[in-house]
Amino acid sequence: MMKEHVGPGRHMQHQEKKELIHVEFDEKDWNLLKDVFGDEDTAIAAAEVIREAPPEIQVLAIQLMDIIEEVV
């Protein structure tokens, strides 16, 4: 049976998308950030940038962290 094509709906505003995701780092993530950035202060700054980034960037950052973790 064929279904009628329905459009994607309304566009979500940036603030609405941002409310859908919340990144939390565990001890393993903190160790990885410290290893990648070299010191705790820079790791904290990077974590803050990730938390404040748009959801698409947050997802990408988490995926990259997973890849780095597999390689290391």
Side-chain angles (χ1 to χ4, degrees), residues 26-57:
D26 60 15
E27 189 65 31
K28 178 180 65 170
D29 297 329
W30 281 113
N31 290 333
L32 179 64
L33 286 171
K34 284 189 263 184
D35 288 344
V36 168
F37 291 103
D39 64 90
E40 189 168 344
D41 291 335
T42 309
I44 290 170
E48 188 62 30
V49 167
I50 293 170
R51 284 189 191 114
E52 296 301 319
E56 297 86 355
I57 303 301

Side-chain angles (χ1 to χ4, degrees), residues 52-69:
E52 296 301 319
E56 297 86 355
I57 303 301
Q58 291 180 357
V59 169
L60 179 62
I62 298 304
Q63 289 175 337
L64 289 172
M65 288 175 67
D66 289 343
I67 291 169
I68 291 169
E69 190 174 90

